[in-house]
Structure formats: C-alpha cells, structure tokens
Amino acid sequence: MPKLEEKPKVLLEEFRVKNAPDDYGMADEKWSFKKFSKNFRIVIVRMDSSEMEFDLIGIQPAFSNAFRRLMLSEVPSMAIEKVMIKNNTSIIQDEVLAHRLGLIPLKADPRLFEYRPEDATEGTEFDTLEFSLKIKCTMNKSQPKDSFRTEDLYENHSVYSSAIKWQPIGNQASVHKEADIGPVHSDILISKMRPGHELDLHLVAVKGIGKDHAKFSPVATASYRLLPEITLTREVKGNEATLLQSCFSPGVIGLDTDGKAYVRNARYDSCSRNVYRYDAIKDAVILSRIRDHFIFNVESVGAMTPNIIFVEAVKILRDKCKSLLDELNSF
Amino acid sequence: MGEINKHPEWDTAKGLREPIKTLEDKWKLVPSFLQIKGLVKQHIDSFNYFINVEIKKIVQANEKVFCDSDPLFYIKYLNAYVGTPDLEEGFNVTKPTTPHECRLRDMTYSAPITVDIEYIRGNQRVIKNKQLIGRMPLMLRSSNCVLTNKSDFELSQLNECPHDPGGYFIIRGQEKVILIQEQLSRNRMIVDEFKGAIQCQVTSSTHEKKTRTNVIVKNGKYVLRHNALSDDIPIAIAFKAMGICSDQEIMQLVGTDDAIVKKMAPCIMDCHNLKIFTQNQALSHIGSKLKVKRFQTPNAKFRTPVDEARDLLATTILAHVTVENYNFYVKAIYLAIMVKRVIEAENSKAAIDDPDYYGNKRLELAGSLLALMFEDLFKRFNWELKSIADKIIPKVKAAPFDVVKHMRPDLIANGLFTAISSGNWTIKRFKMERHGVTQVLSRLSYISALGMMTRVNSQFEKTRKVSGPRSLQPSQWGMLCPSDTPEGEACGLVKNLALMTHITTECSEEPISRLACNAGVEDVKLLGGEEINHPAVYMVFLNGNILGVTRQYKKLIKIFRMFRRRGLISAFVSIYPNHNQRTVYICSDGGRLCRPYIIVEKGYPLVQQSHINELNRGIRKFQDFLSDGLIEYLDVNEENDSHIATIEAEIDPYVTTHLEVEPFTILGVCAGLVPYPHHNQSPRNTYQCAMGKQAMGTIGYNQKNRIDTLMYNLVYPQCPMVKTRTIELTNFDKLPAGQNATVAVMSYSGYDIEDALILNRASIDRGYGRCLVYKSAKTIMKRYSNQTSDRILGPSRDANTGKVIKAHEVLDTDGIAAPGEMVENRQVLINKQMPPATLNPISQGQPQQIDYKDVPVTYKGPVESYIEKVMVSSNSEDAFLIKILLRQTRVPEIGDKFSSRHGQKGVTGLIVQQEDMPFNDRGICPDMIMNPHGFPSRMTVGKTIELLAGKAGLMEGKFHYGTAFGGSKVRDVCGELEKHGYNYHGKDIFYSGLTGEPLEAYIYSGPVYYQKLKHMVQDKMHARARGPRAVLTRQPTEGRSRDGGLRLGEMERDCLIGYGASMLLMERLMLASDAFSADICGACGRLASRAWCHACRSSAAVSAVEMPYACKLLFQELAAMNIVPKLTLKKYC
C-alpha cells in the first residue's frame, strides 16, 4: 500500500482506540511549510450567525486543539463583572443575583473595547459598558376578576434580561448603536418577584477572557471531532445489510438495488460502534477516523459570529507566537 | 405457618392454572396509603390519641384529691381538655400563635390544658369549668395544631412549608423530636436462658405498677423470683398461697404428662419438707420473705405479714393479671403456664423465645411517653394541692380556702417543656430514668428531617458488645429499613421505619373480649386444670392476659379475621396461633408494627385491575380498599403466621394468604433515594443513608423565612435524572438536595487518587455546587431586678477623624448591623452593653451614672459574611430578642466533599479549566471526572446503571426510574441510547483537552446525581503560629474554635524519640508550648520564689531552670498534697 496516499488514521476497535499500525504519529514528521501549505485546507460546511461547522484538513492536532482552547478561554468577550446593588428586596440573594447577571451574554463587540487596567477604579468609555436594571413588581390594578394566574395578578412578576437598559457613558452613545449593545437574548429569566419586591441595580460590564471566568467565553462550546471513516471489508447483503445500516447513524450506510450495503457518507456517523455488538457483521467493517481531518463546531454565545471568533483565536495564536519569537530573539 | 386451605375444586396441577396477571400500577396504592398514614402519621396518631383520649383517662384515674385536715374537702376532676395553641401575653391575655412565630421568637408551641373541676370552697360545692392547670407542648400537624387540614395556600400564609412532615415539637424556639423508643413488649411471657438457667420472665405493667416476675430453675426446682421478695419462693408454695392447696390441683394446672410430673415432683416435695399445706401457711412463709419497707406511713394501720403477702400476690406479683376479691385462680393458671413454659424450654431449646424477635417488641411513641410524663406531673400537681390544703385549711381565715387560687399551671407546663427540651425522662413512680429521648430536629436537608421522624431508638446500651440486638432480624422484614442504620457504636440499635410501616395505637379491649366469648371462648375460671390442659384445647390470650380457652381455635381465628376485614373490629387487632404452646394470641395494644398487605383468596389477589383503575381515577382511596376487605394490616406476629407472595407469579393457590403491595416499600425514606439499590453492595446503601442526611439542598419552602443557627442551601438544586418511586412519594423531587453532574469515569492528573474528584472550572463558574450558608447570631436584652437593663448603643466614632471605627462599620444608627452589609472577622453585629452585676436599686428621682460594660455580639470567621436579615422581637419573658441572619455564598473549592447516591464520597482534588477537560464528539465536557478505581472494590453497580439511565433520560427527555426491585431495565435504557446514536454500553470517544488527540480508551460518561455534603474546607481550615494559651497550664489552647495549636501527640512524640531528634522534641514539647524559667533552690531542691528559697531563707543556691510550666505546676500541686518533689541540681558543663 503506497503510504503517501494513505491518510493518517486511528482505528476504532471494539475496546480501544488504536493508531494505525503503519502510522508513526504526526509528531515525528518533519514539519515543512511547503508541504503544509500544499495539504492544508479549510472547508466551511455550514455557517450562520450563531453556529458554524468547518473542516480543518491536513493540520496537526496540536494546532487544531490550540484553536479550540483559545476560542474557549482566551478570545475575549464582554460580560457583567460588577453589580452595584442599590436596592434588592426580591428573594434572590445579592451574590446569586450578581452571578446570574454575569452569565447573561451581551452583544457588544469586544474588539471595540480595551481591557480595563487592573488598578483602575473607575471605568472609562473605552473599557466599560454600563447598564441599569430597575424594576418593581406591583399588583395589577386592571386585573380581570377571579383570575389566579400570576400573569394577571401582578405586573413585572418575572424579570427578564430585556429589563437591562444600557447607560452610555462618555461618547459611547455616538460610537455604538443602541441595537448593538445589550443582552443577546431578551427572554432570559433573571428573577421572579411578587408585589413589594424591587430591583434597582447598576451593572458594569468589562472585557475579559474565559480563562478568568466562563462568562467571558465567547462560545457556548467550541470543539472538534475527527472525520469518521468506515470501510467494508466484505460484501454485506440482505438482513445483515439492514442490520449494519441500523448500527450507524441514518444516511451513513446505503443499500444498493441488490440489497448490498455500501458506505454512503461516513461524515455524520456518531461513531457509536454498535456494530461490534453483532458477531455476524463485526468482521465486515473497519471503523476509523482520519487523524488530520478536524470537523470543528463552534457555537457562538452571540456577541461575535463564529467565523470572527475563530479568526480572533488565530490572531491570538499568532500574537503569542510573535511574542515568543520576540522573547527568543531578544535573548 | 398458617392454615393451608385445600380447595378441592382445583384438581388441575398447579402449573396448569392460568398465570395471574400482574396488576398494573399496583404501586399507586403506596401514595394512597401515605396520604392517610403518612410517614410521620404514627407520631401524630399517637399524640392525637394522647391529647384527645388518654389525657382524659389519666385525669379520670386520678380524679379525686382529698386532704387530711378536712374530711369534707375534695377536688374532683370532671373532664380535661387540651386547647389550641396560643401565647400568653401577660394578664391572662392570650393570642393564637403559629409554629413559625414560635420558632422565630424562641417560644414554645403549646396549648393550655384545662379541666372542669368540682370542689369544696368553705362549705359550698363549687363547679368551675375551664380551669387552667398547665400547658401542653403541641406536636405540629396534630389534631389541635393550626396547620392541620390547611391547604397549601393557607400553609404559606402561616409561613409553613406544605411538605414539612410535622410530628415534632417546638420548645423554646427549638424543634424537638421525641424519637420512637423500642422496648420489649410488656405483659408477655418471655422464656430465655440466663447464665445457663432457663427462666420465664414477665414484665407486668399497669397504670400503677411496673414489676418483673420470674419463674426460674434453681437446683432442679422451680421457684418464683420477684424484686419485692428477699428470697425465691418455691413454686408450690406460691400456688398454695394462691389458694391452690392440693398437690393434685397444682399438678393438673401445670400438666399431668409424665415428663412434667417428674420435673414438678421435687417442687411438690419442698412443700412437704417445709410443712406448708394450707394457704395461710404459704402466705406466712411468703410474708417472712418480704423485703422490709423503709418508709412506713405513720397512720397506715399495722398489718400482719400474711395480709401483706396476700396483697403483694394480688397487686404486685404478675400485676397485670387482675385479682378480684382475692380469687387467685386466674393468676394461678397464669403462673402454671409460666412453669410449663420453663419445663418445655428445658426439654427442647426450640421453646426458648428469641428476645430479638420483633414480634416481642413494642415501639413507644411521643404520645405514650408524654402520657407517662403527664401522669407523673399531674400526680405531683395533685399532691401539691393536697399539701397546700393540709396546711391552709386548719388556719382560720377571712376568706374561705379556694383551691383554684393555688393551682399553678407552671408545674405541669415547665415539667413537660424541660422533659422535651432536655430529653431526660425521669418518672419516679416506675423508677424510670431515660436520657436522650428527644433530639433536635436536624434541618440539614429535607431528608435528614424526614429521616429523623422515622428513627427508632433502642434501649440497649450502646457500649455493650452484643451482636444479637444489632443484627438484622428476619422478623423486621418490611417493617424496618434493612439499610438505614448508622455505622459505629449505634449500629443496628438505631433503626428506621420502612415506608409502609404503621405503629398501632391502643384500642379498647372490651369489644374484643366480648367478640371472643361469642366466638366460643370459655372462661377459665369455670374450668379445672385437666380441661385447660387438654391437648385439643387452645388457650386464648388477649394482650398477655388469659381470656379463656377454646376447642375451635381455627374458627375463632377465622371469625376474628373476617370481622376485621369487614371493619367490625379495629383493623389493627391481630390474632395468631402458636401451635407449640397451643395458644391463640389476640393483640390490640399500642406500639405494634404493622403494614398493609393485599389479601389473597383461592389463589387470586382480591385487588383487581378494576380497583386499581378506580384508584387511578381518584374514585377509590386506600381506606376503601381497607373497608372493602381487599387489604388488611398485619403485625409482625400475624405476618409470621401468613404466607406472603412478593409478586403475583409467586402466588401458590394452596398456601398463599397475602400479596405484597410493593416490594420497594421494605426500604425506608433515606434508602429510598438510592437508584437501583438492589444492584449495590449492601453496605454502600447504608453509607448513602448516612450521607443523604448531610447533603445540602432545600430544607423546605419556608427556608427563606427561617432563622436557624446553621442552614445549608444549594443555589441551584435539581431533581435527580434517575428518580425512584420513593423520591416522588417523599417529595424529594420538590425539595431536592443535589445536582446532576455529567461524570466521566476516567483517570486524570493524579489528583484523583483515593476517591478524589476532578471538577470543571467552567461548571463551577456557571453555578455547579454553589451553596448558601446561613448562620445566625442572637442576643437577648435582659432586664435586671435592680431596674436596670441591657442597652444597645449606636456606632462609636473615632475621636480625631470623626469616622465610625472599623469594628462598628456595619452597624446601623440603632446599633444593630444593617441588612446587606458585609461583615468581616471581629466586627460588631450588635453593640450591646450590660450594667454591672452588683448594683443597688436606683433610687427614684436622682439619675445615677451607671458604668455599662461592653458585651458586643461579634462576628467570627476567616471569611466575611453578608447580613441577610435582622429580626427584633420579644421572647416569652418579654425581653427584647434580636436575631441576625448571616449569609455566605460558597463556590466549590479543593477539599469540598461530594458524594453520589451510592455511598461513594470523595473530596475535590483538582479544579480544571474547561479547555483542559476531555471532550467528546458532541463537544460535551464533563462536569466531574471520577476515577474508575472507585468501582471494583465498592461494587456499586447501581451507580453505573444510574449513569446509563440518566444519559438515556437526557436523550429521551424523560426521567428514568431506578426504584428498588424494579425500575427501568438496563436493556431498555441501552436500547434508548443506541436509538439516539450513542454507544450501547454508554462509552464514548473522548479527546484529551491537553493534546487534542483521541484518548485510547472509550470513556463511560453520563449524568450522575451528586450531593454536596456539608463538610467544606472553609469550615475546617486551621493553622496557627502564635495564639492563645490556657490559663492554668500556659499551654496552647485546643481546637479550631479557640484558635488552638496543633498537637504533637504521644505517637508523634514516639516517632521523634525513636529517631533520636532530641532537640526537636525539646523545641516542640517545651519551647513551642509552655517553657518556663523556674527558680530552684539547689540546697533543698524545692521551688524558690523570686530567687529566694523560703525554706532555706537564702538565695545563695537558687538557680533558674528551664522547664515546662506544666512541670512546675505539678510540683506545686504535689506540694499542696503533702508530697515534696525535690530536684537535684548539678552543673551541666
């Protein structure tokens, strides 16, 4: 078997994941930029404003993992960091309220802001967003008779993230549009209240990174998986073929007109390895995954589109490399 | 074994019968049962019986009080009532109260006890109604409690949680439970072997007396032994004293078998040797063996020993067998049976009773314990009235003596309050002294409170090394939880009730004995020994007393069971035969354990699917099943006379009499939380039972209104993904204590050895394991007799800057910390001041300068807290009561303890960033990593199934059930996983978060319900360099709370000695502890003071010696005891 054409693989055996016998591991390969740029490809499979699926092909796991890690923990985003509580008569505790508010995703492009200096006591218009949340629960005066539904009885009995109002500071009102700042979702429940309960809060959002606190992470999750590959070693027909088909995710195994099974598209197989449960067809397949084909899935929290998040992660890696090189060169 | 009903119509072989269909949703009988007999219903039932019935009986039994000085004077109690809960507000004004108000204001939730009395005032007979004689602490949700029969909305108006079980008391603001006490049943013969000799023991208990009578074998002869007698009485003499004078009659009563005759012959001989032939002779023999009474009442008339002996036989020996007109015949029969039992036990060891058999046990509940206490106090109350009357009536007075004015309700009220709050049950009448009867209700979690209500305490000593009472008795099946018992010294002695257990309350004997007589029981008084002992005759006992004999015991039992099923006699009356003893026992006494069973007749359960459907539609209740005779209660004894099938398939038409309602009900409340407990190694379930009580979560819907000294809450509690039926029945799903964590079973980093867990930083950031810790500070503003009182001052200001000093920063202007403020260590919460103790009463008019002393309430703790709320109120003494609730929000940190529901506890070993955690194909990062080494030795297969079922439940969007002996099948659960594209075995491909490459092993992962336990590092961390020392020894103090030192103990010392590190030893044991430079006189060797030896009157030879202060102290203490320790000093170098 010509080795060059062969893609690096890991075999999914019944009880363990095993590297292909003729694979010496990519770590041993001598890295050449020329070879890399020839082989490397990015294919965007699916993208919308909140989710993106794309393939990184021909790259070392160290790199793709670095991007994943950076997206999770080092790409910055804005989140509420400080809550000044002027009044909180609701049943929710101050700390818990502040924690909940912190986790609300904000749509504010973090690239337009700076990190707040560590010794700063006051925020400036360049590093801080300020919001206010002022709401009071009252009896609904115009309530219909005989109604016992909370929606009818009280006003403002549920505080949603839509109640958070942006308070521009300095020149912010002219720099940012009203629609660009604020919670991503307007229907996040913050607290439930009853008449007499009142919230009067001043919220301060700053730029931060996910390493510091998960609320600063710009992604709900960013992860990848390796491209599955299914090879049939023998002809599978009839009942066995349908059984085989049922062992994989829908659409992975196809049946041709003769009732013979063939691999239609292995990409979306969930790799459940349930074939190994059936001794009859166990030997008919080799399950493996391509080691340098990463299917990324990035789910943005809402502030930035996933493609930007990935580009930001790449930039951070670049900057890190630069600073390392600078350090080395200045040595 | 019960009766085997042969049904001739079934000629077909057993196997050919059509299989009985299993009843669908049969478990729904359990919630239906719990509705009427909830988990704490036994407490409430027993208390209700006490305040509504028994208290009247007690008052009636002690209805008349006479006095010695006036023969005409009397008080007669006509009736007694317990009212509704209220608070006294002084000047006889009362105000209705709620339990929550009592909790907050440190009051007692109690109701007045009033009586109607008739008494003599002067020469008149007066009737007074509703006279207050005391206060009765009320059990929550008892018949007189304000919470009974309230809707959830009304309960919320009363600040009460609708799921709170009740069944406890509130005494001075503290919630107290009277634990269920286990005892050997009274008035029953127990044959046991004591030091090799066989004895038959009866503990008789009546309202007046509690005595123990033994028949024992002594030198091959039978003797009667009793505490009131100084010597054992030969049995024949006892018979003769009871009027059975002829030897033949004695033998006929005991039995005329050759074996018995042979055994009895020496006893009969005894009489002849002692020349005792008549009743009088026998009585005078007993009279000579009486214990001398120490206190002879002076006006009691002198009585002959014969009279005394006769009285003793009538009232004290076998006190529960009543003797009328000194006709001892029934008592003689009873004694004869005792002798017979001993003889039978001698012949075969099988006749010896097992003292651990649960049918011989009775459980004492709050009601009966309080009844004992109340009767004692009521007697004392009457005795006090009598002595007051004795004293006052002879004195000539202007107004006639009115006894009502001398009735102090405090005696009974305080007696009951202190008994419950201290747990010391001292009843002099019965020489009873018990400690630890009550406990503070543990409000750590809802389950711990509920678990406490079902706890059964045993009277056995904890320190004794006995295995019998501790081990699980087969007769406890279904009544007591086999898993829920503490580890260690109380193991097996403290038990918990199972889910469907009910404890009976007493029901009247009279209708039962009447029914028995109608069913053919003949009175023994009319029969001779020969008839009684006839082999075809069965003796019938009712609550340990002889009722009569019958020749047709089968008919009798059948009639009784039929009457019970028809509801004509109480459902809790049990009847069962004992074929070896040829007796039938009927029980109607209180404290028996029982549980419901479906009746099986002719091989088919009487409960049909149609009945269950009616139950589902809500038109049939558990009570209907009972009154229709489909279900009946069996107590332990009757259970052992029945043949009970666990499932329908086990029904054998020839023998089965009953069918189990649901097998999972053999477990209790705490063990019921465990999913798939039948797959676990049994001790693991026991461990979980102990740990479930330490789990944080929700304690009740009113938790935010409570001000407890310590309360742990979870910020985001979750209902477990894998539920059990018990969880739903106990409302644990509404008041949960834990969170579902996605667990990956794999090794990570080495910080997971010894069961340590790895937590995901991002999960913690998002709120996993976050908890709220509430503590309260409290003070009372006392008023003193000298017209002074405590006071609170506003915050002090610094004289120079005018700013409030640091310690008072959180104080409001009223001197009490303001809500919302953050308090740090040593800051003042309440700036209280106290007047000096010795101060003369302030003379009026001239204000006096009082030097108040600061006694602030300060906050202590290394981590700051926030003030949640402040309560200012008054307590029962009308003094100001200030309570401050402090709050901390805690985030999980390294060292915090977590546990799954399978007795698998572990501390957090490492908290890992999300990007470093492994992730699977779908991008899921586990919240927690658990080391797989936790599984092989623990064998907690239930946990692995919980993980699978939880994971499948997530995919399906439903809860799976892990109910004991049932629940979702692994096969189905795995099928669901497969359906959703997961691996059938629950193992997924994971990628290393560090290298990004797939892990070589497939990782078993999914959600597991994890509990955060109350043990957190923050409460335990402690270190000290320098700090406080004890005054006497000058050694460092002990314990974290006193900022104490860390002890280098004996074993550590031994290590250092062994190693030879003498200088380190010197440093640790003396220099770092209590080094002291003592002056020693070299001449006399004694301690000198200030370089001057008093003995030698010189300072010439005095030199300073370094020694531990404790050593110097020892020398001085020895000297004080006339022992002179002397030191010999030498030049060292």
Side-chain angles (χ1 to χ4, degrees), chain B residues 1021-1038:
Chain B
M1021 60 178 184
H1022 174 50
R1024 111 165 196 177
R1026 265 161 289 159
R1029 281 154 193 273
V1031 180
L1032 184 70
T1033 60
R1034 299 195 184 172
Q1035 287 170 352
T1037 49
E1038 206 182 320

Side-chain angles (χ1 to χ4, degrees), chain B residues 406-417:
Chain B
H406 299 277
M407 286 188 168
R408 289 191 304 115
D410 290 10
L411 179 86
I412 291 177
N414 287 338
L416 290 171
F417 295 173

Side-chain angles (χ1 to χ4, degrees), chain B residues 874-941:
Chain B
S874 63
N875 67 359
S876 51
E877 273 100 55
D878 252 351
F880 268 114
L881 170 75
I882 302 165
K883 281 185 175 178
I884 293 181
L885 189 63
L886 298 153
R887 159 174 41 91
Q888 278 180 349
T889 309
R890 293 191 189 169
V891 170
E893 54 185 320
I894 290 175
D896 282 2
K897 199 171 169 186
F898 286 86
S899 119
S900 73
R901 286 181 290 168
H902 303 268
Q904 302 244 49
K905 55 177 186 259
V907 291
T908 314
L910 188 69
I911 295 173
V912 175
Q913 293 286 347
Q914 186 188 350
E915 65 267 22
D916 292 338
M917 290 297 263
F919 59 98
N920 69 4
D921 270 357
R922 301 176 192 225
I924 298 171
C925 268
D927 295 316
M928 190 182 273
I929 296 178
M930 185 209 152
N931 194 296
H933 284 106
F935 282 115
S937 58
R938 279 39 168 309
M939 294 183 269
T940 51
V941 179

Side-chain angles (χ1 to χ4, degrees), chain B residues 251-550:
Chain B
M251 285 315 301
Q252 280 178 331
L253 281 183
V254 179
T256 43
D257 288 357
D258 280 353
I260 296 176
V261 173
K262 249 182 220 158
K263 291 250 179 192
M264 279 296 287
C267 306
I268 303 284
M269 280 285 289
D270 258 1
C271 265
H272 292 267
N273 293 343
L274 289 164
K275 303 233 169 348
I276 293 169
F277 303 108
T278 65
Q279 185 173 14
N280 256 340
Q281 284 171 328
L283 285 172
S284 64
H285 175 84
I286 294 173
S288 69
K289 297 279 162 68
L290 286 181
K291 268 190 188 158
V292 189
K293 275 190 194 156
R294 260 167 287 174
F295 308 107
Q296 282 284 4
T297 37
N299 46 0
K301 46 186 187 238
F302 176 75
R303 297 196 308 177
T304 60
V306 173
D307 286 341
E308 294 240 353
R310 188 182 289 125
D311 258 16
L312 183 88
L313 272 183
T315 61
T316 311
I317 292 176
L318 297 174
H320 68 289
V321 184
T322 46
V323 169
E324 274 168 38
N325 295 327
Y326 295 114
N327 179 359
F328 289 108
Y329 190 56
V330 178
K331 197 168 270 193
I333 295 172
Y334 196 93
L335 191 64
I337 293 168
M338 287 175 77
V339 177
K340 206 159 73 182
R341 290 276 160 84
V342 175
I343 294 170
E344 276 165 12
E346 276 183 311
N347 291 335
S348 99
K349 292 268 170 197
I352 296 177
D353 292 317
D354 182 357
D356 302 321
Y357 175 63
Y358 232 70
N360 293 331
K361 295 275 167 81
R362 292 292 177 270
L363 299 190
E364 220 170 13
L365 286 158
S368 47
L369 283 164
L370 276 175
L372 283 178
M373 186 46 87
F374 175 76
E375 189 164 9
D376 202 53
L377 290 166
F378 187 63
K379 281 191 166 147
R380 202 146 73 209
F381 178 81
N382 285 339
W383 181 82
E384 219 161 78
L385 283 184
K386 176 185 174 288
S387 53
I388 288 169
D390 278 350
K391 245 183 260 166
I392 297 182
I393 288 180
K395 290 180 193 159
V396 184
K397 277 198 161 179
F401 172 69
D402 191 352
V403 77
V404 166
K405 293 204 173 105
H406 299 277
M407 286 188 168
R408 289 191 304 115
D410 290 10
L411 179 86
I412 291 177
N414 287 338
L416 290 171
F417 295 173
T418 41
I420 295 179
S421 74
S422 68
N424 297 331
W425 237 251
T426 323
I427 288 155
K428 294 200 180 94
R429 196 150 54 98
F430 294 147
K431 293 188 189 108
M432 183 170 121
E433 197 148 341
R434 275 199 225 154
H435 303 285
V437 175
T438 63
Q439 278 181 10
V440 181
L441 182 65
S442 147
R443 284 285 190 183
L444 216 58
S445 67
Y446 172 67
I447 279 300
S448 75
L450 203 59
M452 207 157 195
M453 306 304 305
T454 59
R455 195 155 306 157
V456 178
N457 214 356
S458 165
Q459 294 295 306
F460 277 98
E461 263 183 71
K462 284 181 181 164
T463 46
R464 286 242 306 268
K465 278 189 184 136
V466 281
S467 66
R470 292 174 187 271
S471 49
L472 193 61
Q473 239 277 332
S475 54
Q476 293 172 3
W477 166 271
M479 304 290 175
L480 297 171
C481 178
S483 288
D484 196 358
T485 179
E487 300 163 65
E489 61 166 11
C491 185
L493 298 179
V494 173
K495 305 181 232 335
N496 278 272
L497 296 181
L499 209 62
M500 292 249 269
T501 316
H502 180 72
I503 301 171
T504 59
T505 45
E506 207 176 312
C507 56
S508 169
E509 285 184 11
E510 219 210 63
I512 294 158
S513 62
R514 227 170 35 220
L515 172 66
C517 292
N518 289 339
V521 174
E522 288 171 66
D523 196 345
V524 276
K525 278 183 211 142
L526 311 171
L527 302 172
E530 205 59 28
E531 286 119 316
I532 292 169
N533 283 322
H534 190 274
V537 163
Y538 271 55
M539 184 159 271
V540 183
F541 282 85
L542 172 60
N543 292 336
N545 259 326
I546 297 172
L547 196 65
V549 293
T550 180

Side-chain angles (χ1 to χ4, degrees), chain A residues 13 69 91 95 224 270 272, chain B residues 704 887 916 981 983 996 1002:
Chain A
E13 293 183 351
R69 294 168 58 91
I91 60 153
E95 302 94 283
Y224 60 75
S270 64
S272 63
Chain B
K704 290 228 51 177
R887 159 174 41 91
D916 292 338
N983 178 248
Y1002 299 121

Side-chain angles (χ1 to χ4, degrees), chain B residues 230-251:
Chain B
S230 60
D231 206 354
D232 300 336
I233 306 291
I235 206 75
I237 296 179
F239 278 117
K240 294 202 168 172
M242 291 183 185
I244 315 292
C245 294
S246 92
D247 295 346
Q248 184 188 349
E249 255 187 289
I250 295 174
M251 285 315 301

Side-chain angles (χ1 to χ4, degrees), chain A residues 195-212:
Chain A
H197 289 177
E198 191 181 345
L199 289 180
D200 186 0
L201 315 171
H202 181 73
L203 318 171
V204 179
V206 296
K207 186 174 167 180
I209 56 170
K211 207 174 225 174
D212 205 33

